[in-house]
Amino acid sequence: MTLPSEMNPTNGTILVVDDEPDILIALEDLFENDYRVLTASSPTQALDILRLEPEIAIIISDQRMPEMQGDEFLAKARNVSDAEAILLTGYADLKAVIGAVNKGRIMAYVPKPWDPAALSNMVATAYQRRMLARELDTERALLHGLMESTGDLISFKDLEGRFVRLNAGKAKSLGCRAGDCLGHRERDYIAPERAAMIEEAERRAIQARQPDEVIEERTLPDGKTQWFLINHIPILDEQGSVTNLATIERDITERKLMEMRLRQADKMQALGTLAGGVAHDFNNLLMAVLGSLDLASRRAPDDPRLTRLLQNATYAAERGASLTQRLLSFSRQRDLRLQAVDVNQVITGMSDLLTRTLGGVIRIERHLTEELWAAMVDPDQLELAILNLCINARDAMAENGVLTLSTRKEAVEEGRITDLTSGDYVVISVVDTGSGIPPEVLARVLEPFFTTKEVGKGTGLGLPMVYGLAQQSGGTVTIQSTVGVGTTVELYLSRAVEAQDDRHQEEQSIAHDAPKVRILLVDDDAEVRTVTAAYLSEMGHRVVEAADGSSALDILKADDHLDVLIADFAMPGMTGTDLACKAREVRPDVGILLVTGYADPKRVPDGYLMLHKPFSRADLATKVSEATGQKQR
């Protein structure tokens, strides 16, 4: 015999309903030590109590009552309460019991007179059943809330692959409602090849009794790509046997795109290192070629044919210099001259250039926003970037295509555009009516050297250069394209505090009355040294040459009349920076100009003038004047 106290009751609430006061008192005495007992002398009163007391766990009701029968009362009680029900009956009325079971959903019936111990055990069992049902309802509600509130696609299957539970997100991805999917297999809704891949992953998880993780790439109807991280998780019983399989699918498209951007940045950094390694020698070569062509063109006889040949050679060498600049720009290895720029003015000033370059087969439309903010960017590189975007747009269109070049102001919120912080931006938009870019190509257009053009017709550096310029300028590039409709490329540039007048940046002419000075020229490349010395001599300066840093230092110590030191930045043995530091120790008053074919901006020391190869005669003259001014100060 089990006493009520041994059943560990937790002071739940019992409602006793009987029209006989003695029975109410007897049942209250039986349970009051272990439960909170409420009593009602009529079914109507009991229904009112049930409406006010939703936490009643058990109803004990008499069958024969004058107001209504117990089975009828319990059936009505089901509309307002989910309490467990026990029916008391003083005579064997099988019909009433069956009605109470069907309508009132009683768990048991007890004949009068009852056995106190048996009734107590029955009530304790009912209470435990009630508590387990409540816990199950709570767990079910929590599971349902979790499944429906998450953005993940969640499903549960039996070992035959049939759905036993899935959330609305998963059902929507299959094109059905959650209830309609139950009992069906996933292959009933998806392509056979994808179903085979899923079933193989599920078999692996079941056999290993461990989660199986895969990344799946999906192409949407609109051509866009999504990536999902899919976990197949076997559910084990107490013996370690697999009973079901849970699947969680998480959209990781944003993470995947970020990883692709990071890989792109790594590629550009690696290529930047490679570009820096060859840029010095390449620019030395171009310096020698361009300088020699310049000197030859000014000394050659007045022969139109010869002049044209020299101009063609110069143009080809300048294209080589432009290629090097592109390499260093998109790989972030070129020190940009960031300044406040009127973008509308740059575009307007390119009208003739764009007309000549793009030809007459397409129509160019411009929509430039009035009172546009100034952008913080290198004006020369911006012009090159716009030209590249327009050339790409032209190449994507047939005859009679339309290229739309527009500008606008835009305030960007945090997180709306990848790689872009919140703030104000100037946006340059280049829209074409061309063939569009397929998704698989669009994912690679920012990769260095990736091109879909024929061999010899594209370097694959146009868009990467634009992207590199944008990132160095605190902005980014976005590309949207639809096959058969066209492409929109937008260049985001940070807003500058205020515009500045660019007129003082124009190339200065070489003043004939500039002071003539004695210059020590140091460069390990003989051809570059020859061209540079010729330029300086033509300007009227006296030049002393040295092939390395140590011999230059000896000359500095011996010659007290040197005014300016011009040294190559990268030389074997003693670099130009090392030579400049030692020169300052020997001759603190000497003006110093460092010349480089390539230098990582982070490695350039402060306080020294820099001149990048290949340079023009006018560039050299300007820097020599500045270096001479240093000596005078």
Side-chain angles (χ1 to χ4, degrees), residues 364-596:
I364 304 174
E365 295 183 356
R366 296 174 180 81
H367 302 291
L368 307 182
T369 298
E370 295 183 0
E371 298 181 0
L372 187 68
W373 297 325
M376 185 59 69
V377 67
D378 183 322
D380 296 333
Q381 290 299 305
L382 175 61
E383 185 173 310
L384 183 60
I386 295 172
L387 181 61
N388 272 314
L389 294 179
C390 292
I391 291 174
N392 283 347
R394 178 204 63 188
D395 293 345
M397 292 186 287
E399 292 186 10
N400 301 321
V402 179
L403 186 154
T404 304
L405 191 58
S406 61
T407 59
R408 70 175 187 273
K409 301 180 286 189
E410 185 170 329
V412 176
E413 302 84 19
E414 189 72 33
R416 185 167 68 84
I417 299 177
T418 305
D419 292 344
L420 213 58
T421 58
S422 61
D424 293 336
Y425 292 87
V426 176
V427 184
I428 303 171
S429 178
V430 179
V431 182
D432 66 61
T433 57
S435 55
I437 306 174
E440 65 274 11
V441 175
L442 187 62
R444 300 189 60 193
V445 293
L446 295 180
E447 291 184 14
F449 298 120
F450 176 77
T451 180
T452 57
K453 297 179 181 179
E454 298 176 19
V455 176
K457 292 189 176 181
T459 62
L461 294 177
L463 280 173
M465 185 280 291
V466 176
Y467 179 62
L469 168 68
Q471 290 215 311
Q472 280 183 279
S473 306
T476 193
V477 172
T478 64
I479 306 175
Q480 295 179 339
S481 187
T482 303
V483 176
V485 178
T487 301
T488 299
V489 181
E490 294 193 322
L491 173 58
Y492 282 77
L493 301 171
S494 294
R495 177 186 181 181
V497 177
E498 59 182 5
Q500 68 181 39
D501 190 350
D502 255 359
R503 286 174 296 183
H504 71 280
Q505 298 287 345
E506 295 177 358
E507 183 180 292
Q508 300 178 13
S509 60
I510 302 172
H512 294 287
D513 58 349
K516 305 302 183 279
V517 294
R518 185 171 175 80
I519 298 174
L520 174 57
L521 175 62
V522 190
D523 200 308
D524 61 306
D525 190 302
E527 288 80 9
V528 174
R529 197 169 65 246
T530 298
V531 169
T532 307
Y535 274 159
L536 294 171
S537 297
E538 282 189 349
M539 297 174 200
H541 302 299
R542 293 166 294 161
V543 182
V544 179
E545 297 183 37
D548 55 65
S550 58
S551 58
L553 199 57
D554 292 338
I555 295 172
L556 270 172
K557 294 176 180 177
D559 192 338
D560 294 335
H561 300 289
L562 290 171
D563 302 297
V564 175
L565 167 66
I566 301 177
D568 187 27
F569 182 82
M571 293 186 296
M574 184 184 299
T575 67
T577 305
D578 295 336
L579 174 60
C581 292
K582 295 181 182 296
R584 283 275 164 86
E585 295 175 2
V586 176
R587 294 281 305 279
D589 61 334
V590 71
I592 295 176
L593 171 63
L594 297 180
V595 182
T596 180

Side-chain angles (χ1 to χ4, degrees), residues 7-8 38 68 128-129 152-153 164 187 197 218 241 285 291 300 303 321 339 342 351 353 429 448 458 527 534 595 609:
M7 298 299 295
N8 297 318
L38 303 177
M68 69 178 74
Q128 289 182 346
R129 177 173 164 174
D152 297 342
L153 312 183
V164 296
R187 66 166 45 252
M197 180 189 69
R218 301 176 188 172
S241 300
L285 174 65
D303 183 344
Q339 55 188 274
D342 184 338
S351 296
L353 174 63
S429 178
E527 288 80 9
V595 182
L609 293 173

Side-chain angles (χ1 to χ4, degrees), residues 230-292:
I230 304 176
N231 273 292
H232 300 287
I233 306 168
I235 298 175
L236 310 180
D237 60 16
E238 294 180 356
Q239 288 72 40
S241 300
V242 180
T243 60
N244 292 90
L245 190 74
T247 301
I248 302 175
E249 305 171 44
R250 176 164 296 169
D251 188 343
I252 59 168
T253 303
E254 194 66 31
R255 190 184 88 184
K256 198 71 176 177
L257 292 174
M258 185 62 70
E259 289 174 355
M260 292 169 65
R261 288 292 183 102
L262 289 174
R263 283 199 298 271
Q264 173 72 8
D266 290 340
K267 288 180 183 178
M268 294 171 75
Q269 184 176 2
L271 188 55
T273 303
L274 174 64
V278 301
H280 178 266
D281 292 338
F282 189 54
N283 281 330
N284 276 349
L285 174 65
L286 290 172
M287 182 67 243
V289 171
L290 285 169
S292 298

